[in-house]
């Protein structure tokens, strides 16, 4: 067979030959359209479970669905004689003729979902039907059974397990591995199904986790379902809406649902839309609703919408999208207009009262009382009026020039090393004018910190005395009659995480002296990452480009809330001041940028704030410097032309000849380690006493270790 001429070369008059693709290629291309990502597979499997009449659907996911997706239901199961063709393309029990599409009521009908999964993953099905003594388990690959069905023990219904998704689609798997975890999308899908199908119990958890991230019990109330999935704060601001248009000459449709009132505040719209019990998207309807709310809500706030629309089957075309994500409606513009008018009227009638959230005063920075001021105040009051002196513990600093209660009251002077480090960046005062204090997700994270701290450790933290550093990782502190070893890295990481949430949207900023290109930082981080050591440079560059685009897309949000500024050219220009008078180790900047691009969950607001704050906490934590500690025997590491074969005695000898040591590198290392020790004593521990709320996990994970007790020492001396 002749090879086709390359485009632009060879014989221009000869068109390339048309060939018939092999069936395996056709099937894999089709599978890539239907199963676009792990959440697509979960959605298809849940719809199959609902079509099977299930009253309970359980989902387990590992590594965002790439390693494992397991969906179990208690539906009617699959016949034994149908297992042979279960995963062949276009095999379905939903319709037999094309005309059946006009009255289709099930969510699946093409017979492509399971088949597509077998072409991009390893599928195992376990099922049992009513009346059978045992179930059957069978594995599928490329649309066919790998072996005959094997009898096995099974509970009522079907369990579908998809492993190693996209194992044969390297580029897609690599893109998903280095983008956001798909697990939040899966949770979002299941949450939407749980709100609509209130007679079905849904649960979703990560594989191996004891607690489910979504758990909704069967209920008769839609509001109860929304409350169990999205929380009571959402239900509090919902109003019911019903619309019907029963003009038989034109169209017949009914809509019922719940919409948020003017008091609801959120940064991202939540729109749950079901048309004839099918979860779909409708961009035109979404835009129309957002336009109505734009006249009622503040500019940055978005509504919560749940709608269930019922239309005659013949008015809905379900066969326009491979994943059934969209449908086409007859008289769509008229339906949208009717719904828009109904929402507008409902909001106008419910907008008679507004509730505005207030933020409690932060008393963590306590102003010191000035006795002279108190005397002047009392003297200025009339003699007939008895002044009520405000307790010192309730005074709030209102003058930004007053250092009382601020961290730099503990700052007894800057070392030359610190001044040298500040030459790298210039600190610029910045206050975000947008009020972020009313965000429910951030409030929930703060409540988690307040509800999970350890009272005993909090007392130690508040009342301890710093003794000194024990080694590179631990510091010694004294509390009452006990001596403790404290892991400096762990407590600084937790402190920075909590401060990132407390200063949320209200950071000062560190202006970088020179903008840092994100892509170059990411490539540096990937080269240092042990897990990526086997990847080629081209692949690392591709991953860096993907993460750069992710950060540029979310640049506005992280700048608004965390003062991490990324310009349009993809360069990092500003970082937040998490603790006053403290600058992070800039050598760890590439690792921080990689964590932002790779570890942050951008699709879920609460998890996004949590993971960004965690990345900030890890970057700002007081890790040991990259240069090894030169104190003691470590000085041999800075010898010029150090012989790796030298014996241990030679390494331990004191170096008397200064010419044998790299003095510049040694001075840099000594400065870095001295700076770290100074920061631990004068910045970390004073800040820890003021702000840290140690979680209960620190009592058992080795962060705090008791090494001596005065009472026990007395007992030892008494024996002597």
């Amino acid at each position: 067979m002749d090879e086709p001429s390359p485009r632009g070369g060879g014989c221009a008059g000869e068109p390339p030959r048309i060939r018939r693709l092999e069936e395996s290629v056709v099937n894999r291309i089709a599978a890539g359209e239907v199963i676009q990502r792990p959440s697509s597979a979960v959605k298809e499997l849940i719809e199959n479970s609902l079509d099977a009449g299930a009253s309970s659907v359980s989902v387990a996911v590992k590594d965002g669905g790439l390693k494992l997706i397991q969906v179990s239901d208690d539906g009617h199961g699959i016949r034994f004689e149908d297992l042979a063709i279960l995963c062949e393309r276009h095999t379905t029990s939903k319709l037999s003729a094309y005309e059946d599409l006009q009255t289709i009521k099930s969510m699946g009908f093409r017979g492509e979902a399971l088949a597509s999964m077998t072409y991009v993953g390893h599928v195992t099905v376990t099922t049992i039907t009513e009346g059978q003594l045992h179930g059957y388990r069978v594995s599928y690959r490329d649309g066919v059974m790998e072996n005959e069905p094997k009898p096995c023990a099974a509970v009522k219904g079907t369990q579908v397990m998809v492993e190693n998704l996209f194992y044969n689609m390297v580029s897609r798997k690599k893109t998903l591995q280095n983008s956001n975890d798909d697990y939040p999308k899966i949770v979002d899908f299941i949450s939407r199904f749980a709100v609509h199908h209130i007679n079905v119990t849904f649960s979703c958890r990560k594989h191996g986790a004891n607690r489910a991230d979504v758990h909704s019990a069967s209920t008769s109330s839609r509001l109860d379902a929304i409350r169990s999935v999205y929380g009571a704060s959402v239900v509090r601001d919902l109003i019911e809406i019903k619309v019907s248009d029963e003009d038989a000459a034109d169209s017949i449709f009914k809509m019922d649902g719940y919409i948020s009132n003017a008091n609801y505040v959120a940064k991202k719209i939540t729109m749950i839309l079901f048309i004839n019990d099918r979860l779909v998207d409708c961009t035109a309807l979404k835009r129309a609703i957002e336009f109505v709310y734009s006249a009622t809500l503040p500019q940055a706030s978005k509504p919560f919408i749940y709608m269930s629309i019922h239309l005659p089957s013949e008015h809905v075309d379900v066969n326009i999208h491979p994943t059934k994500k969209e449908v086409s409606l007859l008289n769509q513009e008229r339906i949208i207009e009717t719904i828009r008018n109904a929402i507008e009227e409902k909001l106008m009638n419910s907008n008679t009262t507004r509730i505005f959230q207030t933020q409690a005063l932060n008393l963590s920075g306590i102003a010191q009382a000035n006795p002279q001021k108190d005397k002047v105040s009392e003297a200025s009051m009339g003699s007939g009026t008895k002044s009520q002196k405000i307790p010192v513990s309730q005074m709030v600093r209102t003058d930004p020039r007053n250092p009382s209660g601020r961290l730099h009251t503990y700052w007894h002077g800057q070392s030359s090393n610190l001044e040298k480090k500040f030459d790298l960046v210039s600190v610029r005062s910045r206050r975000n004018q947008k009020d972020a204090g009313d965000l429910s997700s951030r409030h929930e994270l703060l409540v988690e910190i307040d509800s999970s701290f350890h009272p005993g450790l909090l007392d130690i933290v508040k009342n301890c005395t710093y003794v000194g550093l024990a080694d590179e990782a631990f510091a010694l502190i004294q509390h009452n009659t006990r001596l403790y070893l404290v892991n400096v890295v762990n407590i600084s990481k937790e402190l920075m995480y909590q401060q990132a949430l407390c200063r949320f949207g209200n950071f000062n900023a560190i202006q970088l002296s020179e903008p840092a290109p994100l892509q170059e930082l990411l490539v540096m981080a990937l080269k240092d990452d042990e897990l990526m050591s086997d990847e080629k440079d081209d692949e690392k560059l591709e991953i860096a480009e993907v993460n750069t685009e992710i950060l540029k897309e979310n640049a506005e949000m992280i700048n608004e809330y965390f003062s991490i500024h990324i310009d349009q050219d993809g360069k990092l220009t500003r970082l937040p001041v998490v603790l006053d008078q403290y600058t992070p180790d800039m050598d760890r900047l590439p690792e921080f940028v990689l964590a932002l691009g790779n570890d942050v969950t951008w699709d879920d607001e609460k998890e996004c704030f949590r993971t960004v704050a965690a990345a900030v906490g890890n970057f700002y934590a007081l890790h040991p410097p990259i240069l090894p500690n030169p104190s003691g025997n470590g000085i041999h590491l800075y010898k010029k032309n150090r012989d790796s074969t030298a014996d241990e005695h030679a390494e331990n000898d004191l170096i008397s000849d200064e010419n044998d040591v790299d003095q510049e590198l040694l001075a840099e290392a000594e400065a870095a380690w001295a700076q770290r020790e100074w920061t631990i004593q004068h910045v970390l521990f004073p800040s820890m006493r003021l702000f840290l709320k140690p979680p209960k996990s620190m009592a058992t994970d080795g962060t705090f270790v008791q090494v001596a007790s005065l009472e026990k020492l007395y007992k030892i001396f008494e024996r002597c």
Side-chain angles (χ1 to χ4, degrees), residues 338-526:
T338 303
I339 294 175
R340 189 185 70 82
N341 292 338
I343 293 177
E344 189 173 15
E345 181 181 357
K346 203 77 173 178
L347 287 176
M348 290 177 63
N349 294 334
S350 67
N351 199 25
T352 55
T353 60
R354 294 290 297 273
I355 299 174
F356 295 92
Q357 301 292 332
T358 59
Q359 186 176 8
L361 292 174
N362 183 5
L363 301 180
S364 60
I366 301 174
Q368 301 293 328
N370 190 331
Q372 297 297 328
K373 265 188 184 178
D374 292 338
K375 292 179 181 178
V376 172
S377 289
E378 291 177 10
S380 64
M381 302 290 289
S383 59
T385 305
K386 185 178 180 180
S387 64
Q388 184 176 359
K389 189 174 180 181
I390 302 175
V392 177
S393 61
Q394 295 182 10
M395 295 183 67
V396 179
R397 180 177 60 86
T398 57
D399 186 357
R401 293 170 297 179
N402 181 6
S404 299
R406 294 290 295 273
L407 181 59
H408 60 257
T409 59
Y410 297 93
W411 196 272
H412 301 298
Q414 295 180 352
S415 67
S416 59
N417 298 329
L418 186 62
E419 292 174 355
K420 181 180 178 181
K421 190 167 189 177
F422 264 92
D423 288 339
L424 299 175
V425 296
S426 59
V427 179
R428 167 176 93 82
S429 179
R430 174 184 181 273
R431 289 293 180 212
N432 196 329
Q433 299 300 320
K434 297 186 178 181
D435 183 13
D438 58 351
L439 284 176
S440 59
S441 298
R442 180 247 187 174
H443 177 70
E444 290 173 5
L445 292 172
L446 291 176
V447 170
E448 288 180 8
I449 294 173
D450 291 336
S451 61
S452 63
F453 74 87
H454 192 286
L457 293 182
L458 183 63
D459 181 55
I460 294 174
V461 166
K462 296 292 184 185
N463 303 294
C464 70
T465 301
Y466 176 80
V467 177
L469 285 181
D471 59 10
E472 298 175 357
F474 286 89
L476 280 168
I477 61 172
Q478 181 182 345
H479 178 255
N480 294 335
T481 59
R482 291 177 172 84
L483 194 65
Y484 295 89
L485 276 175
V486 180
N487 189 309
V488 172
V489 178
N490 287 357
I491 62 170
S492 61
K493 188 181 299 184
E494 181 65 23
L495 174 64
M496 302 301 180
Y497 167 78
Q498 294 182 11
Q499 281 297 98
L501 293 176
C502 290
R503 296 194 175 194
F504 186 88
N506 196 27
F507 289 92
N508 286 342
I510 302 173
Q511 185 78 30
L512 299 185
S513 56
E514 293 183 5
L518 292 178
Q519 190 165 322
E520 294 182 17
L521 293 174
L522 288 165
V523 171
M524 291 170 60
L526 291 170

Side-chain angles (χ1 to χ4, degrees), residues 515-527 537-552 566-572 589-591 593-594:
L518 292 178
Q519 190 165 322
E520 294 182 17
L521 293 174
L522 288 165
V523 171
M524 291 170 60
L526 291 170
K527 288 181 178 179
D537 290 342
D538 293 341
E539 294 173 340
K540 292 177 182 177
L541 181 61
E542 182 181 352
I543 295 171
E545 291 173 353
V546 171
N547 283 306
T548 300
E549 292 302 316
I550 291 173
L551 292 175
K552 288 171 66 176
I566 298 171
D567 61 22
Q568 296 179 350
D569 297 328
K571 294 182 178 180
L572 182 67
L589 187 60
E591 179 183 348
V593 174
L594 181 62

